[in-house]
Amino acid sequence: MDYIEKARFRAKRRKSAWNLLLLPAIITSLCALWVGSYKVLNTLHSTVHPGQNFGITGKGLGAVLAAVTPFFGALPVAMIIGNFLVWLIPPARKALDEEAKPFPSTSFINAQKQLLKLAYVLVPVSLALGILGALMPWYS
């Protein structure tokens, strides 16, 4: 069974309307993390290169690295936060736990562990690339 078939199989078993809460919880967390980390990188850049910021001189490789790479680091963290926020709702937790019973590898704890493993790789790499981009000059 390839990845697409597995994804379709997982999607078919999700019957609860509580699954719909995951999307806004993750998207809201992602936006907050992405924008927050970008603002920190933009502040770092403005400190190193006075007079430059994304609104004025936001062109070049440095600006792209500082703007884009935080998204990839924020993604697994936003998924962890989104899962946790939905898990805090007792009826949602019960419904989602029932859906996961036949598939132990998809339980809340296992999903969070897998996302943490992904975050351990993506967050440092995206942070390093974002800092590199913030330290580079941005040209208009």
Side-chain angles (χ1 to χ4, degrees):
M1 192 180 279
D2 68 350
Y3 178 79
I4 301 287
E5 290 174 8
K6 287 180 183 177
R8 285 186 183 146
F9 182 71
R10 285 191 307 267
K12 285 181 185 176
R13 71 173 175 82
R14 296 189 185 271
K15 304 288 186 209
S16 170
W18 290 107
N19 284 294
L20 298 174
L21 283 180
L22 287 169
L23 195 58
I26 291 169
I27 289 173
T28 303
S29 301
L30 178 61
C31 289
L33 290 167
W34 187 17
V35 168
S37 59
Y38 174 73
K39 285 186 177 206
V40 168
L41 292 172
N42 193 29
T43 302
L44 172 63
H45 178 78
S46 295
T47 303
V48 174
H49 300 281
Q52 289 187 4
N53 65 45
F54 194 76
I56 298 169
T57 56
K59 294 182 182 171
L61 179 61
V64 171
L65 286 174
V68 175
T69 59
F71 174 84
F72 296 103
L75 194 55
V77 178
M79 291 173 151
I80 291 167
I81 293 169
N83 280 346
F84 180 71
L85 290 174
V86 173
W87 180 83
L88 288 174
I89 303 168
R93 181 181 332 140
K94 183 178 177 185
L96 297 175
D97 285 347
E98 284 298 316
E99 283 183 0
K101 274 186 183 176
F103 310 93
S105 64
T106 63
S107 70
F108 172 75
I109 296 295
N110 284 334
Q112 296 295 75
K113 284 180 183 178
Q114 294 299 320
L115 289 168
L116 269 175
K117 287 178 183 177
L118 184 61
Y120 287 145
V121 174
L122 285 181
V123 170
V125 170
S126 68
L127 182 61
L129 289 172
I131 291 171
L132 176 66
L135 295 175
M136 296 171 69
W138 298 351
Y139 302 105
S140 56

